[in-house]
């Protein structure tokens, strides 16, 4: 979207950190913002802070792992502002790094419940509303630098969830009509609740400004941390080298390419 003036933007996990910084940037662009978070006290403070900045804002306590909460969030936003134009699936959960062999799989599931299934609840609930409404809208999903390479050693659940967000968002963009914009936001190390006790990351507001600039330009891959290009290139060089050695290109090699075969069937 070229600008967000008078658009209604719903952001999950937005009582602080990246979510709140994005809310400020959308608000500065003239949007009406609905914050949601599992922490009601912090959420109230965040809404009041936005209002003090002159942003039309509301809040709703929401656990994204509960589909009924996400449905209630959508209805609350529609009732309060008349419509919703943008969903930012920002809510996320980290983990303590642990060797996969010994990792508590209940913790693995808890991470996926928020980072993957919570996001899917948002996509389905708001996506159906956007399609039925039939007006320009957007779904922005929070991936990570962990979407393109394993950033933190033994961070299995989180990395798996963010790789999944990459795939889901790419596929979602293919199957939605042009009026429904889809984008993948891939932060690197940003100063937030998830990282502040370990590293000092990129300033949260500076990151949010980078994001809004790219969203307004209609970019799909929304990036921020320059050195991630090294990690991305390293991964694809290694994959390419394996193909060059064991599965080199040949004339007619599209014979087993699924996309080519599907195109021929259509």
């Amino acid at each position: 979207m070229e600008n967000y003036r008078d658009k209604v933007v719903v952001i999950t996990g937005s009582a602080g950190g990246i979510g709140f910084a994005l809310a400020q940037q959308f608000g500065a662009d003239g949007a009406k913002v609905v914050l949601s978070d599992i922490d009601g006290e912090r959420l109230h403070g965040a809404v009041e802070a936005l209002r003090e900045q002159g942003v039309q804002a509301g809040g709703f306590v929401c656990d994204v792992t509960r589909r009924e909460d996400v449905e209630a969030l959508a209805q609350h936003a529609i009732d309060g502002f008349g419509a919703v134009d943008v969903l930012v699936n920002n809510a996320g959960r980290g983990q303590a790094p642990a060797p996969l062999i010994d990792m508590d799989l209940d913790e693995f599931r808890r991470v996926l419940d928020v980072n993957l299934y919570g996001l899917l609840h948002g996509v389905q609930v708001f996506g159906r509303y956007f399609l039925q409404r039939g007006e320009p809208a957007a779904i922005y999903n929070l991936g990570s630098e962990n979407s393109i390479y394993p950033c933190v050693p033994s961070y299995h659940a989180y990395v798996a969830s963010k790789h999944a967000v990459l795939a889901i968002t790419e596929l979602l963009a293919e199957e939605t009509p042009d009026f429904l914009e889809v984008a993948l936001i891939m932060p690197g190390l940003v100063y937030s609740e998830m990282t502040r006790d370990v590293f000092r990351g990129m300033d949260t507001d500076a990151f949010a400004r980078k994001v809004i600039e790219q969203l307004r330009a209609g970019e799909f891959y929304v990036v921020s941390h320059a050195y991630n290009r090294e990690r991305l290139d390293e991964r694809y060089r290694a994959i390419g080298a394996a193909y060059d050695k064991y599965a080199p290109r040949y004339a007619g090699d599209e014979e087993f390419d699924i996309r080519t075969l599907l195109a021929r069937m259509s």
Side-chain angles (χ1 to χ4, degrees), residues 219-234:
E219 301 292 349
F220 175 79
Y221 297 108
V222 177
V223 300
S224 55
H225 289 58
Y227 197 78
N228 282 347
R229 181 61 186 268
E230 290 293 321
R231 303 301 186 187
L232 179 68
D233 289 346
E234 180 181 355

Side-chain angles (χ1 to χ4, degrees):
M1 292 184 176
E2 292 184 359
N3 69 77
Y4 296 93
R5 180 162 302 280
D6 296 325
K7 302 297 184 183
V8 179
V9 180
V10 175
I11 309 174
T12 64
S14 48
I18 288 173
F20 182 70
L22 290 173
Q24 290 179 301
Q25 291 301 314
F26 281 115
D29 209 29
K32 304 166 187 175
V33 182
V34 178
L35 304 181
S36 76
D37 204 279
I38 199 169
D39 186 331
E41 184 175 345
R42 290 188 68 216
L43 179 64
H44 176 75
V47 171
E48 289 304 308
L50 282 182
R51 289 174 176 170
E52 289 174 4
Q53 296 170 24
V55 179
Q56 293 186 59
F60 189 80
V61 176
C62 176
D63 178 351
V64 296
T65 69
R66 295 167 50 88
R67 189 182 184 92
E68 57 268 34
D69 277 20
V70 178
E71 290 170 343
L73 168 62
Q75 194 59 55
H76 175 83
I78 294 166
D79 290 344
F81 290 101
V84 176
D85 303 288
V86 177
L87 169 67
V88 182
N89 275 311
N90 172 75
R93 178 189 179 110
Q95 63 160 111
L100 184 59
I101 300 300
D102 300 319
M103 186 177 180
D104 179 356
L105 291 186
D106 286 337
E107 175 62 12
F108 203 112
R109 291 187 185 96
R110 284 190 286 270
V111 173
L112 294 187
D113 276 346
V114 177
N115 296 0
L116 181 55
Y117 287 97
L119 179 142
L120 290 172
H121 290 157
V123 166
Q124 290 194 335
V125 170
F126 284 85
R128 285 172 180 162
Y129 165 76
F130 292 149
L131 293 176
Q132 290 169 0
R133 187 171 177 231
E135 298 183 18
I139 296 175
Y140 302 140
N141 291 335
L142 262 290
S144 165
E145 61 187 352
N146 287 282
S147 294
I148 56 175
Y149 80 100
C151 173
V152 180
S154 298
Y155 214 40
H156 299 285
Y158 190 85
V159 173
S161 73
K162 294 304 182 178
H163 270 58
V165 170
L166 167 66
I168 286 167
T169 309
E170 288 178 334
L171 290 168
L172 178 66
E174 287 187 357
E175 61 191 25
T176 51
D178 290 343
F179 68 80
L180 180 50
E181 181 179 304
V182 176
L184 177 70
I185 301 170
M186 297 189 291
L189 182 61
V190 176
Y191 184 73
S192 68
E193 288 86 349
M194 200 176 293
T195 63
R196 66 186 178 188
D197 294 332
V198 183
F199 301 109
R200 177 75 193 192
M202 178 183 286
D203 177 77
T204 314
D205 292 332
F207 169 74
R209 287 193 294 271
K210 282 179 172 285
V211 170
I212 294 297
E213 176 189 7
Q214 292 169 75
L215 294 178
R216 291 179 66 176
E219 301 292 349
F220 175 79
Y221 297 108
V222 177
V223 300
S224 55
H225 289 58
Y227 197 78
N228 282 347
R229 181 61 186 268
E230 290 293 321
R231 303 301 186 187
L232 179 68
D233 289 346
E234 180 181 355
R235 163 177 269 192
Y236 283 97
R237 279 195 302 268
I239 295 172
Y243 272 96
D244 290 343
K245 185 174 182 178
Y246 295 107
R249 297 296 306 274
Y250 60 89
D253 57 5
E254 72 277 7
E255 61 182 328
F256 302 124
D257 179 63
I258 292 176
R259 287 277 173 149
T260 300
L261 297 175
L262 289 173
R264 289 172 180 169
M265 293 171 60
S266 62

